[in-house]
Amino acid sequence: SQQGEEDPQALSIQEGENATMNCSYKTSINNLQWYRQNSGRGLVHLILIRSNEREKHSGRLRVTLDTSKKSSSLLITASRAADTASYFCATGPAGGTSYGKLTFGQGTILTVHP
Amino acid sequence: GAVVSQHPSWVICKSGTSVKIECRSLDFQATTMFWYRQFPKQSLMLMATSNEGSKATYEQGVEKDKFLINHASLTLSTLTVTSAHPEDSSFYICSAEGIGGGREQYFGPGTRLTVT
């Protein structure tokens, strides 16, 4: 079963608005990562937040992590039509140094209308 | 930055045939590579962990005799789908974990497999 569950499943907004996506997970993690995937393409790594971090910024992206609630959120500010894509959270397991064995959430399909 | 390539990017094969997909780390060495499968409009599901020089570790429910994985060098892992069936049609994505302190994971662009 999927570790991560994301909501909303789909989000439709106008250009310039902010987009917030949420991710919940069930087990202990070493880190949580967010990826973007354009239709039929590979994954683009957006940001990684470690379990001992609470918030991280990268450009127009802001990620928060609440390990007590086992949840994370991705905020994209001032969205652009080019941000239209599917967004996935992925968790790396606790108890090891490898980031590799990721468990992906179901994803949020973001559509930004120009 | 680290680049992972996959070949082919798409392939169509007939039911019953075998298909090999390559995953290469182009500018770094990867002791560990991962293979994922993604069905349309679904998330990525980890199939197996490929370790250079040793047998792959398969996730529960993944048939190791059907999905053969070979990781013969630090820059190449291959996934062979044997006796492919239409239900094997999917998007297969590999990722490679770099050697070094960060051990970041880098994803390939994916291979679209269609079995007719």
Side-chain angles (χ1 to χ4, degrees):
Chain A
S1 61
Q2 285 292 315
Q3 160 82 313
E5 295 181 0
E6 293 179 63
D7 77 271
Q9 291 185 331
L11 180 60
S12 182
I13 59 175
Q14 294 296 125
E15 210 167 27
E17 295 180 340
N18 295 341
T20 300
M21 289 161 266
N22 302 296
C23 168
S24 62
Y25 57 91
K26 298 175 182 174
T27 61
S28 297
I29 63 171
N30 175 285
N31 64 84
L32 187 143
Q33 305 179 42
W34 285 90
Y35 291 86
R36 184 184 72 209
Q37 184 181 37
N38 289 85
S39 182
R41 309 288 292 272
L43 296 177
V44 174
H45 183 265
L46 296 176
I47 199 165
L48 179 152
I49 186 166
R50 293 179 172 79
S51 59
N52 61 352
E53 298 176 310
R54 292 295 167 258
E55 188 171 311
K56 206 161 184 179
H57 296 256
S58 177
R60 294 185 294 114
L61 305 180
R62 172 176 167 256
V63 169
T64 62
L65 178 64
D66 187 335
T67 53
S68 66
K69 295 181 179 178
K70 291 186 168 58
S71 67
S72 173
S73 67
L74 170 67
L75 169 66
I76 303 174
T77 60
S79 64
R80 306 166 182 168
D83 294 329
T84 295
S86 293
Y87 291 81
F88 295 93
C89 68
T91 53
T97 56
S98 172
Y99 293 149
K101 193 170 178 178
L102 300 176
T103 303
F104 282 81
Q106 294 300 322
T108 294
I109 300 172
L110 173 66
T111 303
V112 182
H113 300 281
Chain B
V3 178
V4 174
S5 70
Q6 283 185 239
H7 177 81
S9 55
W10 59 270
V11 58
I12 301 173
C13 71
K14 291 187 176 180
S15 188
T17 61
S18 295
V19 174
K20 180 185 284 188
I21 302 170
E22 294 185 348
C23 176
R24 292 181 186 272
S25 55
L26 298 186
D27 50 3
F28 68 102
Q29 293 182 326
T31 53
T32 304
M33 291 183 174
F34 301 87
W35 287 95
Y36 295 85
R37 180 168 55 185
Q38 184 181 32
F39 291 108
K41 299 189 178 182
Q42 293 189 26
S43 187
L44 283 76
M45 294 291 291
L46 179 65
M47 298 175 66
T49 302
S50 170
N51 297 299
E52 186 267 337
S54 63
K55 290 183 178 181
T57 304
Y58 291 82
E59 295 300 300
Q60 191 173 11
V62 178
E63 300 175 60
K64 62 180 181 181
D65 294 330
K66 180 168 183 63
F67 298 99
L68 301 179
I69 292 173
N70 183 279
H71 194 154
S73 77
L74 286 172
T75 59
L76 173 65
S77 175
T78 60
L79 168 68
T80 301
V81 183
T82 62
S83 187
H85 290 284
E87 56 264 32
D88 298 324
S89 297
S90 187
F91 194 52
Y92 292 87
I93 303 176
C94 73
S95 67
E97 188 177 271
I99 297 174
R103 301 188 71 174
E104 299 290 340
Q105 188 174 166
Y106 306 97
F107 281 81
T111 296
R112 174 78 57 194
L113 169 63
T114 301
V115 184
T116 60

